């Protein structure tokens, strides 16, 4: 998460200008997903399920649709990132959490508890506080109009990402192993890459990449292509982690963890790019950290209560939002040879 955001900004800081290029690199690394999909089955023989087995036409269609939605989200993120400082963009993206909570309640019937509501309020207030003082953070070479466009694009990216997470949780209920998660992710990334490639063709992005590398990028051609490749790899790792978090817990927990990581992006922007870190950003970052820590502590207390009640081995039932969760039954499932966990080598 941190490296992908910083590398995306690095591209624009050193005279990279194509938002379609920045969008394209966020999904073009989909061939890397072949490794976690194919290697466990063919090389290590650690799974019994052959890749893409049980991949129904419905799951394929959903994956393609979500992939196009992800492609639009990537474009909005690139648009905002080209005009806003990393720290400002990161804090604005934390606004996705309130949308995430609302959409999770509507789409996957997420329970609202004190710990998740408290966390969402604190993280959202940190974004609102930043918005009230945003005019002081406007880069000198960016006009007010461009800054406003970047601001709206970043909020739009946060809203789309908030929709993406609960939809993924709903789809993952039909998925029974992490290998299928990666297969779906690969189809999504292919769809997002197709969308970005179409934009690149119409905007002359592929030609622009060659020209930027040779003539425009002020760090030289080798650094330019190293930046592009690093962006491709880091974004794939980021999306793999997000997909895994939603699959193993729930969309709200995934959104909270991703939002909490934005604190590191804020600090990274200050350390790497010497961005201003005034009182407003300090307070926003502290509130972001406070909200996340309160959520984690709430999960810890709830998990401890479950362990005390069930005599050990409990799990956080809020992760999957399953009201009839039984740790003893889960142990029996894990021990079964037909278990989804067995299919991923656990």
């Amino acid at each position: 998460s941190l490296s992908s955001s910083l590398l995306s900004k690095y591209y624009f800081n050193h005279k990279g200008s194509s938002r379609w290029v920045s969008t394209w690199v966020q999904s073009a690394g989909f061939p890397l997903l072949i490794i976690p999909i194919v290697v466990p089955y063919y090389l290590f023989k650690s799974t019994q399920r052959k890749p893409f087995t049980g991949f129904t036409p419905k799951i394929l269609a959903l994956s393609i649709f979500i992939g196009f939605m992800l492609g639009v989200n990537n474009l909005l993120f690139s648009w905002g990132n080209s005009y806003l400082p990393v720290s400002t963009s990161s804090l604005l993206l934390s606004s996705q959490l309130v949308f995430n909570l609302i959409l999770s309640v509507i789409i996957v019937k997420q329970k609202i508890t004190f710990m998740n509501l408290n966390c969402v309020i604190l993280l959202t207030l940190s974004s609102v506080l930043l918005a009230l003082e945003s005019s002081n953070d406007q880069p000198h070479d960016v006009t007010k109009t461009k800054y406003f466009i970047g601001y709206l694009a970043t909020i739009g990216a946060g809203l789309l990402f908030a929709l993406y997470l609960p939809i993924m949780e709903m789809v993952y209920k039909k998925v029974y192993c992490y290998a299928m998660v990666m297969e779906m992710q690969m189809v999504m990334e292919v769809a997002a890459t197709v969308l970005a490639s179409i934009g690149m063709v119409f905007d002359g992005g592929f030609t622009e990449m060659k020209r930027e590398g040779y003539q425009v990028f002020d760090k030289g051609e080798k650094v330019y292509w190293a930046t592009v490749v690093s962006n491709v790899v880091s974004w794939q790792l980021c999306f793999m982690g997000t997909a895994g978090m939603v699959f193993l817990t729930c969309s709200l927990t995934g959104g909270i963890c991703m939002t909490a990581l934005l604190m590191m992006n804020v600090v990274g922007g200050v350390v790497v790019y010497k961005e201003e870190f005034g009182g407003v950003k300090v307070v926003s970052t502290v509130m972001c950290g406070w909200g996340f820590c309160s959520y984690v502590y709430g999960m810890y207390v709830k998990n401890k209560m479950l362990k005390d009640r069930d005599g050990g081995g409990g799990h956080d039932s809020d992760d999957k939002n399953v009201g009839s969760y039984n740790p003893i039954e889960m142990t029996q499932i894990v021990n079964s040879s037909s278990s989804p966990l067995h299919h991923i080598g656990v």
Side-chain angles (χ1 to χ4, degrees):
S1 177
L2 174 60
S3 60
S4 57
S5 295
L6 292 179
L7 285 167
S8 294
K9 190 61 180 178
Y10 185 84
Y11 167 78
F12 289 112
N13 280 355
H14 295 284
K15 297 187 178 181
S17 59
S18 175
R19 294 169 192 86
W20 281 113
V21 170
S22 180
T23 302
W24 185 79
V25 298
Q26 292 181 54
S27 58
F30 65 85
L32 296 173
L33 296 177
I34 295 175
I35 297 173
I37 292 173
V38 173
V39 169
Y41 179 80
Y42 289 103
L43 185 61
F44 297 120
K45 309 295 183 182
S46 60
T47 63
Q48 297 178 354
R49 176 185 171 275
K50 190 175 182 180
F52 291 98
T53 301
F55 208 82
T56 64
K58 184 177 180 180
I59 292 179
L60 178 63
L62 280 171
S63 299
I64 293 174
F65 170 75
I66 297 171
F68 285 131
M69 187 175 73
L70 190 62
V72 175
N73 178 81
N74 294 343
L75 177 61
L76 289 174
F77 174 81
S78 298
W79 206 281
N81 206 30
S82 65
Y83 292 141
L84 303 179
V86 173
S87 52
T88 303
S89 176
S90 298
L91 286 170
L92 283 176
L93 284 172
S94 66
S95 64
Q96 59 90 14
L97 203 55
V98 67
F99 301 128
N100 190 351
L101 178 62
I102 295 171
L103 292 171
S104 293
V105 170
I106 296 173
I107 297 174
V108 295
K109 311 303 180 185
Q110 172 72 47
K111 293 179 182 177
I112 297 180
T113 64
F114 173 77
M115 66 177 183
N116 59 36
L117 184 61
N118 177 62
C119 179
V120 168
I121 290 173
L122 286 172
L123 292 177
T124 304
L125 284 177
S126 71
S127 297
V128 172
L129 182 62
L130 180 72
L132 294 176
E133 295 290 335
S134 61
S135 60
N136 298 328
D137 198 42
Q138 181 178 327
H140 299 297
D141 57 342
V142 175
T143 64
K144 288 185 177 180
T145 301
K146 289 182 177 180
Y147 187 87
F148 184 69
I149 292 173
Y151 197 93
L152 290 179
T154 303
I155 293 293
L159 178 57
L160 262 182
F161 190 72
L163 178 61
Y164 163 79
L165 291 178
I167 288 178
M168 289 310 304
E169 181 182 353
M170 181 179 64
V171 173
Y172 287 161
K173 289 180 179 180
K174 305 180 184 299
V175 173
Y176 54 88
C177 63
Y178 185 65
M180 284 192 72
V181 173
M182 287 297 95
E183 290 160 9
M184 290 184 63
Q185 190 68 33
M186 185 172 182
V187 175
M188 291 177 204
E189 298 293 341
V190 170
T193 303
V194 169
L195 181 65
S197 297
I198 293 173
M200 290 269 283
V201 169
F202 280 97
D203 196 49
F206 291 107
T207 305
E208 181 67 15
M209 285 181 75
K210 294 181 180 180
R211 190 183 72 84
E212 281 185 341
Y214 284 118
Q215 304 174 3
V216 180
F217 201 72
D218 60 14
K219 290 293 183 178
E221 183 183 357
K222 291 182 178 179
V223 176
Y224 176 82
W225 291 111
T227 302
V228 169
V229 172
S230 299
N231 261 292
V232 167
V233 174
S234 62
W235 276 112
Q236 283 309 306
L237 292 174
C238 183
F239 285 130
M240 282 178 65
T242 304
M245 179 65 72
V246 174
F247 174 64
L248 293 172
T249 59
C250 67
S251 57
L252 183 60
T253 301
I256 286 173
C257 289
M258 289 299 294
T259 302
L261 277 172
L262 295 176
M263 289 188 302
M264 296 302 298
N265 292 356
V266 173
V267 176
V270 173
V271 173
V272 177
Y273 299 127
K274 310 302 179 185
E275 295 175 358
E276 294 183 7
F277 194 60
V280 173
K281 284 187 179 179
V282 171
V283 174
S284 295
T285 304
V286 170
M287 291 178 69
C288 193
W290 181 12
F292 176 70
C293 290
S294 67
Y295 183 76
V296 172
Y297 180 72
M299 290 175 64
Y300 166 76
V301 171
K302 189 171 184 178
N303 193 41
K304 190 174 185 299
M305 291 173 62
L306 285 172
K307 287 182 179 180
D308 292 341
R309 186 190 67 187
D310 298 316
H315 239 283
D316 180 15
S317 63
D318 189 52
D319 278 354
K320 275 294 186 185
N321 195 24
V322 180
S324 58
Y325 183 86
N326 189 321
I328 297 176
E329 291 176 0
M330 187 61 189
T331 303
Q332 294 171 347
I333 292 172
V334 172
N335 290 334
S336 169
S337 62
S338 62
S339 162
L341 297 177
H342 179 77
H343 289 308
I344 59 175
V346 176

